[in-house]
Amino acid sequence: MNHQPFEGWLLDDKYLNAAEKRELDTHLRVCTHCTALVETGLALRSAQVVTPAADFTLRFQQRLAAQKIAERRHRLWGLIVLIISGVGLLGWLAAPYIYAFLSSPVEWLTASIGYFLFVFTSLQAFSEILRVLARMAPNFIPPYAWMVMLSALAGLGLIWVVSIWRFSRKPQGVTV
Ligand SMILES: [Zn+2]
């Protein structure tokens, strides 16, 4: 049986005028091959209608947006909890100092000024020592050794400053 031009029309999904439609209908009544082609085409087209890409994408985006909002809310709550606990901890740590300041502001101020002056002069002394060491240092000491030495000195200095700060705070705590 000759399937042309009907097979070509069906495969190309050609737009048919009234006369062509009538010709095709007559052919389809006697031809199972072309009828099968028509059914396949219909099935494919209906399958395309069943899975609307745009709708799926839209729903997917909506779900994604909702998820993002939920995630952002979680992160915001986490941040709020973190800030509250951080402020609470800071307040708990600073409470004795705030109390000391409120009970005797002048003493506290003089103590702080004295402390900062002490730190400043200590740092000056440290830098003086470092300068002397640097002048004495032979050039063959590699840079990383210098970094290790400097960080060790800085750590020792910090420990010293903190220990003296604590020591100087103790008698004040008794008077307050
Ligand atoms: Zn046919």
Side-chain angles (χ1 to χ4, degrees):
M1 196 187 282
N2 181 24
H3 300 295
Q4 292 305 340
F6 313 109
E7 195 181 26
W9 291 354
L10 291 171
L11 289 175
D12 294 342
D13 215 0
K14 185 180 180 292
Y15 177 77
L16 305 174
N17 61 36
E20 287 169 334
K21 253 181 213 164
R22 233 174 296 129
E23 274 181 70
L24 180 67
D25 279 342
T26 344
H27 178 73
L28 286 178
R29 236 164 270 151
V30 292
C31 177
T32 50
H33 174 82
C34 290
T35 309
L37 270 183
V38 170
E39 276 165 10
T40 312
L42 282 176
L44 281 176
R45 236 166 286 157
S46 65
Q48 277 167 359
V49 172
V50 165
T51 50
D55 185 34
F56 174 76
T57 320
L58 190 73
R59 269 182 293 156
F60 182 73
Q61 281 172 342
Q62 280 171 347
R63 209 176 305 157
L64 200 70
Q67 213 170 315
K68 268 187 189 163
I69 289 168
E71 258 174 49
R72 213 173 299 158
R73 209 170 292 156
H74 280 157
R75 234 176 296 154
L76 190 72
W77 273 113
L79 195 69
I80 287 169
V81 167
L82 193 76
I83 287 171
I84 287 172
S85 49
V87 166
L89 189 71
L90 209 70
W92 183 69
L93 285 174
Y97 299 103
I98 292 169
Y99 179 74
F101 174 73
L102 289 178
S103 53
S104 54
V106 179
E107 269 178 52
W108 190 89
L109 270 175
T110 43
S112 331
I113 289 165
Y115 175 69
F116 281 116
L117 278 173
F118 166 73
V119 169
F120 185 68
T121 46
S122 304
L123 285 175
Q124 266 190 328
F126 263 118
S127 64
E128 197 59 46
I129 290 165
L130 285 177
R131 218 174 297 152
V132 169
L133 278 175
R135 224 174 291 146
M136 277 158 49
N139 286 329
F140 57 76
I141 293 179
Y144 67 84
W146 270 112
M147 271 152 69
V148 168
M149 274 163 65
L150 282 177
S151 45
L153 270 172
L156 280 173
L158 202 70
I159 289 164
W160 183 39
V161 165
V162 167
S163 65
I164 282 176
W165 166 249
R166 280 188 157 181
F167 178 74
S168 68
R169 289 297 298 172
K170 246 175 201 168
Q172 277 228 333
V174 173
T175 56
V176 163

